[in-house]
Amino acid sequence: MRITVFLLLFSVIQVTGENSYSQNTRLSLNLKDVSIENVLDEIENQSEFYFLFNQKLVNVDRKVDINAKNKQIKDILTDLFADENVNYMVLDRQILLSPEYLTEGINVTRDRQPQEIVITGKVTEENSTPLPGVNILIKGTILGTITDVDGNYSIEVDDPNATLVFSFIGFRDQEIAISGRAVINITLAVEAFGLEEVVAIGYGTMKRKQVTSSIATVRVDDFTQGAIYQSPIELIAGKIGGLAISRAGGGDPTSDIQVQLRGISSIRGTASPLIVIDGIPGGDLNAISPENISSIDVLRDGSAAAIYGSRATNGVIIITTKKGTPGKPEIKYSAYTYTETWASKPKMLTANEYIHYKNEFTNSGDPYLVEKASNMIDYGNETDWFNVISRNALSHVHDISVTGGTESTQYYGSINFRDQQGLMKKSDKNVLNGRMSLTHSALDDKLLFQINISNSFVKSHPFDEETMAQAALRNPTEPVYSKDRIPGTEVLNPDGIYFEQRGHNIPNPLGLIEQFERDNEDSRFLGNINLTYKFTKGLKITTNAAYQRSNKIRSFYEERNSWYSLNATGYYGNASKSAYMRESRSIEPILEYSGRLENIHSFTILTGYSYQDFIDETFSASNRTFITDDFTYNNLGAGVAISRGNYASPVSSDKFTSKLIAFFGRLNYSYDDKYMLSASLRREGSSKFGANNKWGYFPAISAGWTVSREPFMNSIAFINDLKIRLGYGITGNHGIPSYLSLQRLSTSGTMLYEGEWIPGYAPASNANPNLGWEKKAEWNLGIDLRIFNTLFVNIDFYDRNTTDLLYEYAVPVPPNLYSKTWANVGKINNRGIELTLNAKPVSNSSFSWNTNFNISYNKNNLVSLSDENYSHSFLMLGDIDWVGMTGEYTYKLEEGQPIGNIFGWAFAGFTDDGRWQVWDKTGTKKLHPSEATFDDKKVIGNGLPKSWFGFSNTFKYNNFDLTIALKGALGFDILNSFRLGRENLGYLPNNLLRSTFTNPEISQIRDNRNYITDYHVEAGDYLKLDNITLGYTIPVKAINHLRIYANIRNLFCLTQYTGEDPEDVITGLVPGYDSWRSYPKVKTFTFGLNINF
Amino acid sequence: MYKLIRITLFIIVISVFAVIFSCTKLDEEIYSTTIPENFYKTEEEIVSILAPVYGELRTIISGRGITDLEDICTDIMVVPTRNYGGWFDGGVFQRLHEHTWTSEHPHINNIWKRAFSLINRSNMVIYQLEQQGDNINPEKKDRFLSELYIIRALGYYYLLNAFGNVPIVDRFDVPEDFKPVNNSDFQIGRNQVFEFIENDLLNNISKLDDNVNESTYGRFNKWATMTILVKLYMNAEIWTGNERWDDAITYANQIIQSGKYQLEDNYFSNFLKNNNSSSENIFVLPYHPTLTGKGMRNKGYVHHQHFSAGPVVGAPMGGWNGYVAIPSFIRSFHFDDRRLDGWAIGPQIDKNTGKVVLNTRASQEPLVYTIDFENIYFEGDPTEYNYALATEYNGARFFKYEVSFESGTNMSNDWVVFRLADILLLKAEALMRKNGGIATAEAVNLVNQVRSRAFDNSSSQLFTLGTLSLDELLAERAREFYYEGMRRNDLIRFGKFARGEWEWYDRSNHGDNKNWFPIPQVQINANNLLVQNPGY
């Protein structure tokens, strides 16, 4: 199918290319024994062709015979110079002759098409200033020219469908398809970090030079290359200061990316930034494909984000999708395929090592080791359990898009298909995404009408984390399958496929994969219609109406002979099916007036209204105990557990809604682009809050001063631009469940009432009618600087204070019914600094180097958890999931301390007989952990990185391009749960890390178990080669653009951390806990191509 | 063309203003829950608000809480840390056994939370019935109200037993900024709680049903209420300083003389899967195979048995290998005492094959429970030990309730809270207390009624005036009521708890403040008006 399209397009282009003078002109010659010079004269007589050559270099005295009838010029010339080392070049009607040695290595060939088109034009900046010295290149060739002092150029091309590439230092490269035109005037936009670029500011756009708050932008050319497999947000990973993005889910294609802007500003409200897609607040990123995005703007500070009021505390990410462009249809196809390997595999004992240590221990004479060895059974097999559960995954992604249109109507459409296989068996994701965008202007361009629709369908298989845990635990000598067991071995399921034993928590890892069906189907719709009407030049009204809907179906089946069925649950076969629906409708009309006074004052006034509602519905049903596995989850009625009365309430449904309504306004004023002021106010109400507190005000004000426009700066030549910005804004957070302020009754408990079991009704939660907004006030001071023309420096300082933190606080029972109530208590402070450097140190027609470096530092402090009604000096969080550690909370959230503090005992060495010792609270006495108490625990680390950085470089050399991107995080600790749970001989006979045996200190432990101390807390700082891409643009005629590339992600990581990969949990309240169950981190190898027709 | 402009403009303007002026309402719409204004319309709806209170009552036996702690910090049971690392959980179980708990102890907070939740739910439903219970037969309403006062009193009984001086909250419609306060004087506070419970019980006893039938099963009738009274008066001396032995005897007599309850011939009849037919049980928490959760299964089987023990009872799952008997307690049974069968000891036999069950978790060794904990002693020295080195086999396992999973994954025996044997032994104790701690003929007779059924040939095992002492009675109560949630209270009443001496850990240097638990720090954090108990 794909190939057919390709061929079809190819032939169309060939036909149009034939249409030139040289091909249409036929000549007839019949001459004998004449000099070549005479032949050429005769040709000039018969046609409009004329010849240019140097008589010293080309021998035209040679006598020839020629007999041609109705032949093309190139055939005649080929005959004429058949024996000579002479090249010819047909340029329109002009024919150039030259000896071959002169044209060697130049892209001029004997059969070159005649050049017949001369393109002229003028290149200017956005303010119409001519740009001299701009490089203009015919794409795919080395032919080119440069503009003159007035910005004018002239270039001859042979193909009316060729593309011209305009490039100039400090400006963004622009590619223009000639499309048959003879005059092409273009305006070059300043580079992405330049001052003339237009940035999205929420409900509008603004020139970079007038922006007074902290907004960072990444455009399509600078997006991350290579496989994007979890979320489109990966496109800007490591590219924006203050924005931390972590792939904590490793290589799981179904997991989500963690995003955090400027630290943790809320402890129970929403933690991630608000996503705005084409103006739709709260847009679902999974509804669009990464290939559809043209730019991403991040509103970082409060003054920028406050226009989005209630949801903007964690910043706003504005996604602008690709729209239609006028012109002939342009078709782009991009595809890549990738494979993954383990970034690093936990180093467990192999079967041989396991047997080796069993024998060594048996003969050791140490009663402890002898006893341990007696439980280590040799099942006679060699199994690498990590290999058993993983595979050679191969994924591929295709995107085809078409865009075009007239001056009044433009369209963009795309189909995106992703078939992604995870490293773990059966874990995969299959996405089909279609998107259509239509723009139409009417009524003398007064009415602008735009429709965008995307639909995505996803089928995926999530990964059961238990698989990873059990693969680590399991004895490497055990067989995978029952049939491979040593005769006589007691087995739980002698007739079953997978080798299973009764016992505590050791199901067969492959059984966990193969005996469970987890089929997820998602479909998402995102559509909006945008109408703009311009009353006059400055006054316009815009209405954006959007509808979003996502449907999810989750199907589950557990086979009759799974380990759980055989060992723990008492049912045989377990099926369920659940459906979730979420829809959201929004409408936002905006009235805007912008104008200029005396050419020096410019302003924009905007006022608007916003309505958005959300509806969530769920339904699920399940049944158990099936006679056959054949139906899986497709015939719930076939199970007998319900009819036998063994299974209570297997059916449930729920529905909940919420609403947001807002009025907002904004004023932007600029005096000569020198002094700028912006002020906005949003009044917003959320249905989730108590009757007295539904509405909140979210004001913002910011100012900017372009110092470099002051006369006194003229003498400082190396500073091109300098702007100082100061902003203050208040944003809110309402990310809590609905109905918490209401007194509700829901089903609760059952009672034996006069011989019948009756259902009960009780209040669903403690109602808090005073529940209100969580608010964050933020100061931001920024400096934008451009020096030496090519280096852009951007520094932002911020100080953000969150008050009225939404949290479930412990309250006395009675008077309260439940021990927790949602309330507004507590304060968090985050302050930090972000530095971004952008530069293009080298840029010429054959070599360019683009570089971006950003680093950010954030200091977090939980100022308070108490007020007059609620008093908490600290909260304990993070229950460690290990045998014997139930209820041991490892993270302490304490007033006056940063979030993410890891809490445990301080390790004080081992006793001579291998027992753990920890320091008591005075730090003077050594205790065994079983004698130590809570009071002896202290902060033993912090899991939140203090600093993140990204460093990316793009090099272009002729047709080659190379991108190298590094990223890293500094100043944080990780609780290595893998060592905590798999590095102690006491945990035998289950498998252990090899270091347990090889590290003399650890092999001496005789305590049978580990305790949560700083012995297992490690520094997490890392520097990662996150992305390396090598691309080559193949100059192929008839195709506008053809590029192939290879990419490696996560190639290596420099770190002292001994676990798998330090890139870990960065959001939430228990950061830095490297769970031993999590999906492995991966290295990804990608090969891809892009074609534009 | 102008027509088109006008139409477009009209549509835009109308749509803008329509939404602006119509949509500023932010009332919440609810779907899968309801609001009180829409409820309490029918008798069925009103009855349904009782169910969560009785449902909440089941939390008194939930693990790590009210009745659990009555046994696992005494001389009957212990939750040892296993040498494979299990059941350490930050040392919480060790501290219960050693009596080194602090106000941060999570299980102690569970007692507070669960008891006060029971009290508060009772208060709420009392309030709801009084305000909105008009659509119900007045007699039924009065009976419901009385039952709720009794449940509230039971909640306070458990709090008095655990903490002593707790705040009294007797109504639901408290002012918004209300915070409960306990008395600044520990003893006065305890007296007030005692009086509050006594008043509620006495005021309602006559309004309660005196039938023992299906409609009172699992609910508070007159006799179950009197049982609480008997237990309250038995503890009056230690809780208030005033002896109330006569009052205890009075109400015990009423229960005994009513003839509504008889001792079962077989001790274990009270704990069968279908124990609703027991004539001895006075108050139970009814369990259903699917509707009432895992409480009975965990309490009766899972907490105790080994991971590989499933085949012993034909259970689909093994246990969690947690709670076990303290060796000296097992050794306190006479070899012929049938009640010893309530403990799994020695090799465990597969119910179907008759063969010894193997420990399939590790090396396929036979599963054999040992009474003693041999290898916790360092080099054989009986004074040097760490019971955190217990192997997975150490300890006899609680096995009193019939374990049957025929009806699914849960057990449906009804958990016994009060039974007649307790009333008989309490009356005997009261008689002896009045007699200066010396047995009377009636007391000996009462104790022997209970003890005799434990032996095939009981004549040689019966107590006499000469052999029945208070110490013997205390030991007999352990053998009769193990893991029924009353041991800590018994030990305190007999003066043997706070400085108690039983296996592992010497508590004799501890203060008497260990007779009550500290008020949980979490609760003090949430309510700074609470006064901590003395010694904490």
Side-chain angles (χ1 to χ4, degrees), chain B residues 464-518:
Chain B
T464 64
L465 276 172
T467 58
L468 183 63
S469 64
L470 281 177
D471 281 351
E472 280 299 333
L473 183 59
L474 178 64
E476 185 65 14
R477 284 187 66 84
R479 292 186 288 265
E480 178 67 22
F481 302 115
Y482 54 84
Y483 208 46
E484 289 187 46
M486 47 182 99
R487 187 60 182 171
R488 175 177 157 275
N489 175 245
D490 285 348
L491 287 171
I492 292 171
R493 198 168 66 249
F494 284 80
K496 297 280 173 72
F497 182 74
R499 298 171 190 274
E501 292 177 53
W502 58 85
E503 264 169 324
W504 313 315
Y505 294 93
D506 182 5
R507 301 161 195 82
S508 58
N509 293 326
H510 291 174
D512 287 330
N513 67 320
K514 299 286 179 185
N515 276 340
W516 47 89
F517 292 124

Side-chain angles (χ1 to χ4, degrees), chain B residues 23 79 103 223 292 365 490 513:
Chain B
C23 286
V79 186
S103 61
W223 317 110
T292 45
E365 300 159 319
D490 285 348
N513 67 320

Side-chain angles (χ1 to χ4, degrees), chain A residues 617-736:
Chain A
E617 288 185 49
T618 69
F619 172 79
S620 76
S622 52
N623 204 349
R624 292 171 176 171
T625 313
F626 291 83
I627 285 167
T628 167
D629 286 328
D630 284 358
F631 310 135
T632 69
Y633 48 76
N634 295 307
N635 190 349
L636 293 180
V640 297
I642 297 176
S643 56
R644 285 180 186 167
N646 294 342
Y647 193 22
S649 54
V651 182
S652 68
S653 61
D654 195 6
K655 177 174 178 177
F656 47 98
T657 63
S658 68
K659 238 184 271 181
L660 278 172
I661 295 174
F663 301 89
F664 55 89
R666 180 171 59 204
L667 167 73
N668 292 313
Y669 169 78
S670 163
Y671 175 84
D672 196 21
D673 290 346
K674 198 193 286 183
Y675 308 110
M676 281 80 67
L677 181 76
S678 173
S680 69
L681 177 66
R682 186 171 176 117
R683 173 168 162 75
E684 184 150 24
S686 166
S687 62
K688 289 176 179 176
F689 295 128
N692 314 327
N693 273 327
K694 283 201 192 293
W695 292 86
Y697 284 101
F698 303 99
I701 186 157
S702 58
W705 174 29
T706 310
V707 183
S708 55
R709 286 178 74 91
E710 299 289 352
F712 62 80
M713 290 292 290
N714 290 347
S715 57
I716 309 173
F718 73 94
I719 295 183
N720 308 101
D721 286 292
L722 171 63
K723 183 168 71 179
I724 299 171
R725 297 176 272 107
L726 181 65
Y728 176 79
I730 294 177
T731 52
N733 196 328
H734 77 144
I736 56 167

Side-chain angles (χ1 to χ4, degrees), chain B residues 443-445 447-448 451 458-469 472-473 475-476 479:
Chain B
V444 171
N445 179 36
V447 177
N448 282 342
R451 183 169 169 83
S458 61
S459 53
S460 61
Q461 296 298 333
L462 295 181
F463 286 109
T464 64
L465 276 172
T467 58
L468 183 63
S469 64
E472 280 299 333
L473 183 59
E476 185 65 14
R479 292 186 288 265

Side-chain angles (χ1 to χ4, degrees), chain A residues 683-913:
Chain A
R683 173 168 162 75
E684 184 150 24
S686 166
S687 62
K688 289 176 179 176
F689 295 128
N692 314 327
N693 273 327
K694 283 201 192 293
W695 292 86
Y697 284 101
F698 303 99
I701 186 157
S702 58
W705 174 29
T706 310
V707 183
S708 55
R709 286 178 74 91
E710 299 289 352
F712 62 80
M713 290 292 290
N714 290 347
S715 57
I716 309 173
F718 73 94
I719 295 183
N720 308 101
D721 286 292
L722 171 63
K723 183 168 71 179
I724 299 171
R725 297 176 272 107
L726 181 65
Y728 176 79
I730 294 177
T731 52
N733 196 328
H734 77 144
I736 56 167
S738 294
Y739 310 133
L740 296 171
S741 72
L742 288 186
Q743 186 69 260
R744 292 168 299 142
L745 293 173
S746 66
T747 52
S748 166
T750 47
M751 171 188 176
L752 185 57
Y753 180 80
E754 301 186 345
E756 291 285 334
W757 288 89
I758 61 163
Y761 283 82
S765 59
N766 291 338
N768 179 358
N770 296 320
L771 201 62
W773 296 94
E774 175 175 309
K775 285 192 175 179
K776 188 205 73 192
E778 180 171 7
W779 282 100
N780 190 87
L781 174 68
I783 298 165
D784 298 329
L785 180 68
R786 178 161 67 104
I787 48 177
F788 303 118
N789 257 321
T790 56
L791 177 62
F792 291 76
V793 182
N794 168 269
I795 307 170
D796 276 280
F797 303 88
Y798 60 87
D799 185 6
R800 24 170 67 188
N801 281 299
T802 315
T803 52
D804 296 336
L805 279 177
L806 287 164
Y807 193 76
E808 268 187 292
Y809 287 91
V811 290
V813 175
N816 295 286
L817 200 57
Y818 297 96
S819 59
K820 286 190 171 169
T821 295
W822 282 88
N824 299 98
V825 193
K827 297 182 175 72
I828 295 181
N829 175 269
N830 280 281
R831 59 183 66 169
I833 177 169
E834 290 150 2
L835 169 70
T836 307
L837 301 175
N838 273 301
K840 204 168 188 177
V842 186
S843 177
N844 60 49
S845 60
S846 64
F847 181 69
S848 71
W849 171 27
N850 248 321
T851 182
N852 168 298
F853 174 75
N854 68 76
I855 185 162
S856 43
Y857 170 83
N858 183 73
K859 188 173 188 303
N860 172 288
N861 182 17
L862 181 66
V863 178
S864 154
L865 273 171
S866 309
D867 67 2
E868 62 275 16
N869 293 317
Y870 304 90
S871 137
H872 291 282
S873 54
F874 66 89
L875 300 167
M876 293 304 299
L877 303 160
D879 199 350
I880 296 285
D881 185 16
W882 266 111
V883 166
M885 293 186 185
T886 309
E888 273 195 74
Y889 295 101
T890 326
Y891 284 79
K892 192 178 190 191
L893 209 55
E894 190 170 12
E895 289 187 335
Q897 292 281 323
I899 290 170
N901 272 349
I902 305 170
F903 196 66
W905 291 302
F907 176 63
F910 297 102
T911 62
D912 292 342
D913 55 354

Side-chain angles (χ1 to χ4, degrees), chain A residues 374-375 377 379 443 447 490 501-504 531 533 535 541 543 566-570 587 589 609 611 645-648 654-657 659 661 663 685-688 694-695 738-739 741-746 748 750-755 757-763 770 810-819 868-869 871 874 883-886 888 905 915 929-930 932 986-987 989 1008-1009 1011, chain B residues 1 4-5 8-9 12 16 19-20 23-36 39-40 47-52 54-55 58 64 83-90 94-95 104 112-113 116-117 120-121 124 128 140 144 169 174 176 178-180 214-215 217 219 286-288 290-292 307-308 311 316-318 358 360-365 386 389 407-409 522-523 525-527:
Chain A
S374 71
N375 285 330
I377 300 171
Y379 289 96
L443 309 176
L447 181 68
E490 166 119 353
Q501 297 185 66
R502 192 182 297 283
H504 190 56
L531 279 171
Y533 186 80
F535 294 95
I541 185 163
T543 298
L566 295 168
N567 203 39
T569 59
I587 183 160
Y609 165 84
Y611 171 92
N646 294 342
Y647 193 22
D654 195 6
K655 177 174 178 177
F656 47 98
T657 63
K659 238 184 271 181
I661 295 174
F663 301 89
S686 166
S687 62
K688 289 176 179 176
K694 283 201 192 293
W695 292 86
S738 294
Y739 310 133
S741 72
L742 288 186
Q743 186 69 260
R744 292 168 299 142
L745 293 173
S746 66
S748 166
T750 47
M751 171 188 176
L752 185 57
Y753 180 80
E754 301 186 345
W757 288 89
I758 61 163
Y761 283 82
N770 296 320
V811 290
V813 175
N816 295 286
L817 200 57
Y818 297 96
S819 59
E868 62 275 16
N869 293 317
S871 137
F874 66 89
V883 166
M885 293 186 185
T886 309
E888 273 195 74
W905 291 302
R915 312 258 296 148
S930 65
Y987 296 134
N1008 265 322
R1009 51 162 295 153
Y1011 297 88
Chain B
M1 187 56 104
L4 187 57
I5 295 174
T8 315
L9 269 181
I12 293 172
V16 168
V19 287
I20 287 177
C23 286
T24 55
K25 285 201 179 126
L26 288 167
D27 297 338
E28 289 194 273
E29 292 175 62
I30 56 176
Y31 301 91
S32 55
T33 52
T34 184
I35 51 172
F39 210 66
Y40 312 117
V47 171
S48 77
I49 62 176
L50 275 186
Y54 272 102
R58 278 182 216 107
R64 307 174 179 213
N83 63 6
Y84 56 82
W87 292 93
F88 174 67
D89 299 358
Q94 289 187 39
R95 289 199 280 282
E104 303 280 357
W112 182 284
K113 279 199 309 194
F116 267 119
S117 174
N120 210 36
R121 276 170 187 262
M124 179 186 66
Q128 288 168 329
K140 256 188 184 166
F144 286 169
V169 183
V174 292
E176 201 177 302
F178 171 82
K179 280 185 180 178
E214 190 181 57
S215 80
Y217 189 76
R219 292 169 62 188
Y287 273 85
H288 182 273
T290 58
L291 298 175
T292 45
F307 317 114
S308 304
M317 80 285 271
L358 300 181
T360 49
R361 179 171 172 268
S363 53
Q364 316 249 356
E365 300 159 319
N386 178 356
L389 295 175
S407 52
T409 58
V522 183
Q523 301 302 331
N525 289 345
N527 175 3

